Amino acid sequence: MSAVSNRTPNLRVPPGKRSFLASGLGIALFSSAVFGLSGSFAKALLETGWSPGAAVTARLTGAALILAVPAVPALRGRWHQLRDNWLTILLFGLIGVAACQLFYFNAVARLSVGVALLLEYLAPVIIVLWLWAASRKRPRVLTFAGTLLSLAGLVLVLDLTGAVRIDLVGVFWGMAAAVCLAVYFFITAKENDSLPPIVLASGGLLVGAAIMWLAAATGLLPMAFSTADTKLGPWVTPWWVSLAGLVILATVLAYVSGIVAARALGSKVASFVSLTEVLFAVVWAWLLLGELPGAIQLLGGVLIVGGVILVRLDELRRPAVLPAGGAMEAPRAASPLEHANDVEPVP
């Protein structure tokens, strides 16, 4: 799920002059494609002896330093924006960046990249179930159907009765990443116009990197690096090639192109296009790592993504403005899925 912003105006281009890229769709698909590379690059490093903590820390540190270059001029000297939004940046860095990516990389270390990402994509379903339990109000039909569809897909992805053996610890890490993503949506559900998306992305990555280094310095997080060559598809490459791909392609270019796509398409459309990240992640893992989920797991993945689409359709649609009586309908309370976030924290 790529970077998304709902605080920036859509770029209006005359329909007759819109090309595939100018429409924003091509940029959005590019963002999903490079986001989908993260699992493959990370696993290539993990298989040579890198620990998940080390891979996440290197990724966040490198990306934070690079994104600081465009983030500083984006502030235009208004440094008070950082002070006014320090809690948002802190929570994004802690939950949306550090915890979410660490848990995802731990899942990737034990599961296929596709299965790990599909587990994380259950976050919208977790939100629906939590709101249902908290309010004791049954979701609308479309949301309810999407939730059931995703849960059915989860059963197929886990393939509990099949020949594919699933690492339960890896499943735990994948679900933990989904919980982090759900918590982040709750935190950022309130709209905020005062912080440029690129600043939030850079600040969150910097906070996440600082937290990871602090955890390593105190001995809470094991750090293991390796200079052994990595294997990507038919190529054997130096370790820094995979790391550079993880930092530059799967983080910097992914966040920046996601923000550009959201400006062109609008946050709602961009959030739907970002669901293609699962497809790209599976294809990249097949091409670069030679791993592919089983047929039953792929079917489960289709059900999970289909369920998430139904939930998003129901949560993001607007209520009728003029009901039968002719009076203006009061806006319903926004849910954590109602606003696309400046930067969505999935890997």
Side-chain angles (χ1 to χ4, degrees), residues 1-345:
M1 199 176 294
S2 52
V4 174
S5 170
N6 68 336
R7 327 301 191 229
T8 48
N10 293 341
L11 300 178
R12 301 295 182 183
V13 180
K17 297 183 179 180
R18 285 191 178 185
S19 66
F20 181 66
L21 286 177
S23 69
L25 182 57
I27 299 174
L29 289 173
F30 172 80
S31 178
S32 291
V34 287
F35 260 117
L37 278 166
S38 67
S40 295
F41 282 132
K43 192 152 192 173
L45 292 170
L46 297 178
E47 288 179 344
T48 65
W50 284 62
S51 67
V56 172
T57 303
R59 179 190 192 187
L60 300 187
T61 303
L65 294 176
I66 295 174
L67 283 178
V69 176
V72 171
L75 281 172
R76 299 177 182 176
R78 294 171 294 187
W79 297 99
H80 66 88
Q81 291 181 336
L82 297 178
R83 183 181 65 253
D84 295 342
N85 295 278
W86 70 270
L87 184 59
T88 299
I89 296 173
L90 176 63
L91 292 176
F92 172 61
L94 175 61
I95 299 175
V97 173
C100 194
Q101 292 188 25
L102 180 61
F103 295 162
Y104 172 66
F105 280 14
N106 272 303
V108 165
R110 294 174 172 270
L111 304 170
S112 71
V113 171
V115 169
L117 192 58
L118 284 169
L119 291 174
E120 187 173 6
Y121 261 72
L122 287 170
V125 176
I126 293 175
I127 292 175
V128 171
L129 295 175
W130 173 260
L131 292 176
W132 186 2
S135 65
R136 297 187 179 181
K137 183 179 179 181
R138 182 175 176 176
R140 292 189 297 260
V141 174
L142 204 59
T143 294
F144 188 69
T147 302
L148 292 181
L149 193 65
S150 289
L151 293 177
L154 175 61
V155 173
L156 295 182
V157 165
L158 297 182
D159 196 15
L160 299 177
T161 60
V164 179
R165 184 174 181 179
I166 292 290
D167 189 308
L168 293 181
V169 176
V171 172
F172 168 81
W173 287 120
M175 294 302 297
V179 171
C180 283
L181 182 56
V183 171
Y184 171 75
F185 280 130
F186 277 112
I187 292 171
T188 59
K190 185 177 180 181
E191 196 163 353
N192 179 359
D193 294 315
S194 62
L195 194 65
I198 194 70
V199 176
L200 176 61
S202 177
L205 289 167
L206 185 60
V207 168
I211 291 172
M212 298 297 289
W213 283 115
L214 181 62
T218 56
L220 296 176
L221 183 67
M223 285 282 193
F225 300 89
S226 173
T227 57
D229 290 343
T230 58
K231 191 173 186 304
L232 294 171
W235 305 284
V236 176
T237 64
W239 62 272
W240 55 264
V241 172
S242 292
L243 181 60
L246 184 61
V247 172
I248 298 174
L249 293 178
T251 310
V252 175
L253 284 182
Y255 277 128
V256 172
S257 59
I259 292 170
V260 173
R263 289 178 174 176
L265 294 175
S267 60
K268 292 183 181 180
V269 176
S271 69
F272 279 104
V273 177
S274 71
L275 292 174
T276 59
E277 183 188 339
V278 175
L279 172 62
F280 283 115
V282 171
V283 171
W284 286 127
W286 174 46
L287 295 175
L288 299 178
L289 302 175
E291 65 177 33
L292 190 67
I296 193 71
Q297 292 178 306
L298 290 175
L299 176 59
V302 171
L303 295 184
I304 288 176
V305 174
V308 172
I309 289 175
L310 290 181
V311 170
R312 283 192 174 273
L313 282 173
D314 202 15
E315 292 292 325
L316 296 176
R317 67 182 180 179
R318 296 180 181 274
V321 176
L322 291 176
M328 185 71 72
E329 182 176 334
R332 61 185 173 85
S335 80
L337 296 180
E338 193 70 32
H339 303 298
N341 300 282
D342 284 332
V343 179
E344 296 190 15

